[in-house]
Each structure stands twice: as structure tokens, then as C-alpha cells.
Amino acid sequence: MTWSKSPAGSGTTAVDVDADGSGDTGQARLRELGYKQELKRDLSLLSNFAFSFTIISVLTGVTTLYNTGLNFGGPATMTFGWFVAGAFTMTVGLSMAEICSSFPTSGGLYYWSARLSGNRWSPFASWITGWFNIVGQWAVTTSVDFSLAQLIQVIILLSTGGNNGGGYLASKYVVIAFHAAILLSHALINSLPISWLSFFGQFAAAWNMLGVFVLMIAVPAVATERASAKFVFTHLNTDNSAGIHNNLYIFVLGLLMSQYTLTGYDASAHMTEETKNADKNGPIGIISAISISIVVGWGYILGITFAVKEIPYLLSPDNEAGGYAIAEVFYLAFKSRYGSGVGGIVCLGIVAVAIYFCGMSSVTSNSRMVYAFSRDGAMPLSPVWHKVNKHEVPINAVWLSAFVSLCMALPSLGSLVAFQAMVSIATIGLYIAYALPIFFRVTLARKHFVPGPFNLGRYGVLVGWVAVLWVVTITVLFSLPVTYPVTKDTLNYTPVAVGGLFILVLTSWVVSARHWFKGPVTNLSG
């Protein structure tokens, strides 16, 4: 990767100073791309990084899908699969960072697609990318906050005696009420000025970082029995209830835990219009969030997995945590040492706070995407969602994002299988949005792409192709059946959910949007 001043010409130049003499290259770049500054540009590099790092939140992703990791492949898949997913995710991040440096706008992915696909394809490319991005982000917020609601359910269960000691197990209606309350609080926080969000974001990043180190050391240190290094690094769990015993098949299914975790770093791009020197700091925010998450995430996985002994028991719905594997690991570690699992419940509290901040930052990113997409007239009632309040916060976009995320969790009342479709969209749908502008950059825009200060030089096209092929690969892998025999209750709804989203977006384009949506539009005259 290299840092350079973009060459002049082609309408894609980077400039040294803003017109007001502030020296903020990102603000001048925004004006050059056709937009006036409407949001308050208060975020530093640290704050920009903090939003992406907090949304990635290894404490959230690993904890939420640890059951999946144990069931599909077990320790070997989690420890080595983490680096497989991490390495390829970095290629996606590097390619996105390069494009972000050239086009630092809140629209992010859909704006990039519009600029990179050429005049003929620009509106359609922008429409498809934008809707996959925005629905994927809503699904991320839904899955994160619903996961927190489920964890609160488990914490209450363990605190009141456990599954086998008469503990209170909240009903699905209580869990959805938890989810609604969490979203309400996130909407309220996101209604505050960006300076407050910057503070919360930095605090959240610090909490995630320190929380990982505390848990990765405390849990295995407290456990009276620890797994061997051979078990942690080489044990491949094929003894599962899924009816799948092929080692490679099991391994690739287990990658879902890692790939779901390493998602959401597009937040740095969506926050660029509020970030100082965004054409430099936005790309750094993306890359640093991914790289640091890979390192601390692996440490967290190792620390917890060294406290794992009996995988079938941890996954059993009859254990004290009701089958919530990582909660059972924490609880048993402290109970075996001190005769009480209170310490384990405290550890779960550390994770719960991290997940809470993850959801908070996710709503922030969602709202900026809604703001940008509606600024370009792509959403129903666009003038409403584009409105900015006196604190320069897209207030209506904040509340819309929270409301949609609540609605997307309602299918859980009927079936958790249906709700899993939301998780599918959160992972695959969002990565499709990541891949589209990269694909246009290495194909249609290969010869005329003008990089910003951050660029990959001659390796940009190669890294971009690797990123695109990886997204194609995981889209296929995570659409495979996860349980045999396949029935209506065991069907993998990923292709149904993602395919359904594509059909809806394409239909809306053919029937209506192609007649009026022309892609991103300038607001300099407004």
C-alpha cells in the first residue's frame, strides 16, 4: 500500500487544503465530489476507527456464534478458521479502503459503485449496492441487539438458579421486549450530538479491547480443568447432530462464526463526512479495525477454548445455561474453582456491555447510510430521512433504523429459523454490498480509477479480485445445507433470504426506480 497525492484530472482529484484554509483534505474532497458539508466534521482518526472496531466487536461475534463454531468443526475450525477468514477479509478491507480514499462520502459503497461502474450502469449499480448495504446494516443491528436480548435472558437464568435449579427463563415475548428496549436506548443515544457519540465510541473501543484481555486470561486461569494444546489446535468436532461428518464440509461451515464477526467495518466509510481528513483517516479506520480485531479475536478464542472440555455437554439444552455454550464455559469455570458461578455471570456482563456498544455503533452507521441514500432520493419519503437537526445529526434516519431493526426481529416470535434469515442477510447480504464496488473497480473502472492518498499501487487489481472471489466463495459456502436430512425445519434459509432480497430490489428497479433514480446527485446548489 502507498500514500500519495492523487493526480489531477478526471474529476477525481484530491486537494491539499479546504477552501476555508482548514487544511482538511476530506472536506475539500467532499465538495469536489459534489456535496456541501451538512454534518459536523468532529471525528478524529481514533473515533473513526472506534466505530468500526466496536461494530466488528469480537466479544459480540465470537460469543454469539460460539455454538456454531463448536458444533461445526470445533476448536480446530475456530483457531485456524479465524485466520483463514481474517486474511481474506483483509483483502476486502484493503480494497474498500483504497476506494474510500478516492470517494470519502457517507454514501460509501453505493456511491462508489455509481462512480466506478460508468455512466451506463451507474444508476442500476448504485441502486443494487445501496439496498443490499442498507438492508444488510439493518440486519446487523437486528442480530446484534437481539443477541444481546438473548444473552440478558441467559444472565437472568443463571442469576436465579440456572436451568436445573429453578432459574427464570424469559419467554420469547419478554426477549423481544428486551430487544425493543435496547433499540430505544440506542436511538436515544444516537440522537445526541456527534461529540457525544465520539466519546461513547472511543469508550466502547477501549471496553472491547480491555474486555477481551480480561476474559482471555481470567476464564482459563480460573478453570480447574483446562484443555490441552492438542485439543485446542487440532481437534475437529465431527460428532454433531447435524448429520455432517466430512471434515472439509464441517470446517467451511464453521467459518460462519469468524466471517459474521469480521463484518461492519464499512462504518468507517459511512462516517467519513464527519471525520477530519477523511480521505486518509477513513481508510486507516477500516484497515486498523480489521487488523486489530483479527489479533485480539484470536486471543479471545484461544483463551475461552482452553477452558472447553466436553463439547456435547456445552451444546446441550439441558445444561445450566440452557445450551448457551460460552455462558456455560464461564459459569462452570468459576463454579469449579469457587463453588459459585457468580464470577462467570460477571464475565457475561462484560460481554453484554460490549454487545450493547456494538449495537449502538451499528445504529450510528445505519443512520448515516439512510441519510446519504435519502439525500440522493433513493428511499421512499427521502426528504424526511435526510433531515438534519440543530446538532447536525440525521435524527429521523436514526429512529427509522431503530424501528426497522425492531420489525426485522419480529419473525423470531414465530420461528427462530425464520429469524436466522436476518443473520444470513447480515453476513452475506452485507458482503455482497462490499464486493460490488470492488468488482466495478477491477473491471469497468480498471483503466480510469484515480486513487486517493491511500492506495494499493500496482497490487490494487490483484487484491480486488481476491476480495471479490472470496465473497463469491462464502456466498456459496454459507448457502449449503447445515443439517441432514434437509426438512422445512432444518433448511438453510440463506439463499432464500438473500435471493428474496435480490428479487425485491431488482423488481423495484424494473417496475419503478429505473424511470426516476439517476444515482447520486449533487447538493451544492441546495
Side-chain angles (χ1 to χ4, degrees):
M1 68 189 70
T2 59
W3 293 91
S4 65
K5 185 185 297 182
S6 298
S10 303
T12 56
T13 59
V15 294
D16 291 319
V17 293
D18 193 14
D20 62 6
S22 65
D24 190 330
T25 58
Q27 186 164 326
R29 184 75 184 105
L30 180 66
R31 181 180 294 108
E32 190 177 329
L33 294 174
Y35 294 104
K36 66 181 180 181
Q37 186 72 39
E38 293 183 311
L39 303 178
K40 199 167 186 178
R41 197 178 285 272
D42 275 354
L43 296 183
S44 63
L45 168 60
L46 179 60
S47 295
N48 183 282
F49 151 79
F51 279 107
S52 280
F53 182 71
T54 304
I55 294 178
I56 292 176
S57 180
V58 296
L59 289 178
T60 299
V62 173
T63 301
T64 301
L65 289 189
Y66 198 76
N67 277 51
T68 300
L70 280 183
N71 197 44
F72 297 110
T77 295
M78 291 190 290
T79 53
F80 289 109
W82 180 260
F83 279 116
V84 171
F88 285 108
T89 296
M90 182 56 77
T91 66
V92 179
L94 285 169
S95 295
M96 288 173 59
E98 182 180 51
I99 302 172
C100 178
S101 184
S102 187
F103 308 116
T105 76
S106 291
L109 308 171
Y110 86 87
Y111 182 89
W112 304 347
S113 287
R115 292 297 296 264
L116 295 170
S117 58
N119 292 334
R120 180 182 179 185
W121 294 102
S122 177
F124 177 67
S126 180
W127 181 263
I128 291 290
T129 305
W131 278 109
F132 263 92
N133 191 192
I134 202 167
V135 175
Q137 285 193 341
W138 283 332
V140 167
T141 300
T142 303
S143 62
V144 169
D145 281 4
F146 191 79
S147 296
L148 176 56
Q150 290 178 313
L151 181 58
I152 292 173
Q153 176 194 44
V154 173
I155 291 175
I156 293 174
L157 174 64
L158 292 173
S159 300
T160 54
N163 192 42
N164 299 314
Y168 171 72
L169 181 64
S171 70
K172 59 184 180 182
Y173 299 102
V174 173
V175 172
I176 204 72
F178 288 159
H179 177 70
I182 294 164
L183 280 169
L184 174 63
S185 68
H186 284 159
L188 290 171
I189 292 175
N190 274 278
S191 300
L192 298 173
I194 189 63
S195 56
W196 281 90
L197 286 178
S198 176
F199 168 76
F200 283 126
Q202 292 183 42
F203 180 81
W207 183 278
N208 271 271
M209 188 79 73
L210 292 175
V212 166
F213 284 108
V214 168
L215 296 177
M216 65 182 282
I217 294 172
V219 175
V222 167
T224 54
E225 291 185 84
R226 284 180 286 275
S228 66
K230 181 180 180 181
F231 175 84
V232 171
F233 291 105
T234 66
H235 181 70
L236 193 64
N237 178 39
T238 56
D239 182 20
N240 56 71
S241 59
I244 302 172
H245 305 293
N246 179 275
N247 288 354
L248 179 60
Y249 199 167
I250 285 288
F251 182 86
V252 297
L253 290 179
L255 291 177
L256 178 61
M257 182 199 77
S258 302
Q259 200 62 70
Y260 171 77
T261 303
L262 297 172
T263 302
Y265 43 86
D266 57 314
S268 287
H270 296 301
M271 302 304 294
T272 49
E273 290 187 36
E274 294 161 271
T275 301
K276 300 172 184 176
N277 297 311
D279 52 350
K280 299 175 183 177
N281 292 338
I284 296 176
I286 293 172
I287 297 167
S288 57
I290 296 172
S291 57
I292 294 174
S293 294
I294 290 173
V295 174
V296 299
W298 195 60
Y300 181 53
I301 291 171
L302 283 184
I304 303 309
T305 307
F306 268 109
V308 168
K309 291 297 291 183
E310 299 179 19
I311 294 177
Y313 177 73
L314 294 177
L315 296 173
S316 171
D318 296 325
N319 64 32
E320 292 294 346
Y324 201 115
I326 209 164
E328 188 71 12
V329 171
F330 290 177
Y331 188 77
L332 289 180
F334 281 87
K335 189 172 184 179
S336 65
R337 173 74 64 178
Y338 303 110
S340 170
V342 173
I345 297 173
V346 172
C347 289
L348 290 176
I350 294 174
V351 175
V353 172
I355 299 177
Y356 182 83
F357 282 128
C358 176
M360 177 203 75
S361 295
S362 185
V363 171
T364 306
S365 182
N366 290 179
S367 62
R368 271 51 180 184
M369 174 60 193
V370 171
Y371 157 82
F373 213 32
S374 59
R375 177 175 62 186
D376 292 319
M379 296 185 64
L381 303 176
S382 283
V384 175
W385 314 127
H386 175 232
K387 184 177 180 180
V388 177
N389 68 6
K390 64 180 181 179
H391 299 299
E392 299 178 28
V393 172
I395 188 72
N396 293 342
V398 167
W399 287 91
L400 174 66
S401 297
F403 177 74
V404 172
S405 295
L406 172 62
C407 294
M408 291 179 78
L410 294 180
S412 67
L413 294 175
S415 169
L416 285 176
V417 173
F419 175 72
Q420 288 303 315
M422 301 305 147
V423 178
S424 301
I425 294 175
T427 307
I428 300 302
L430 204 53
Y431 264 94
I432 289 174
Y434 290 176
L436 285 172
I438 300 173
F439 175 73
F440 297 134
R441 183 260 183 269
V442 298
T443 54
L444 297 176
R446 179 173 180 174
K447 295 182 179 179
H448 61 79
F449 174 72
V450 180
F454 175 89
N455 63 84
L456 302 176
R458 60 181 178 177
Y459 299 106
V461 172
L462 174 61
V463 173
W465 272 117
V466 173
V468 170
L469 291 175
W470 175 245
V471 174
V472 172
T473 300
I474 61 174
T475 300
V476 173
L477 293 181
F478 298 156
S479 298
L480 297 173
V482 295
T483 304
Y484 287 91
V486 177
T487 66
K488 64 180 180 66
D489 295 322
T490 62
L491 177 68
N492 183 355
Y493 281 86
T494 299
V496 177
V498 177
L501 174 60
F502 177 75
I503 291 172
L504 285 174
V505 173
L506 184 61
T507 301
S508 66
W509 171 260
V510 173
V511 172
S512 175
R514 67 187 177 92
H515 299 296
W516 52 265
F517 182 67
K518 305 304 179 184
V521 295
T522 179
N523 69 354
L524 280 178
S525 60

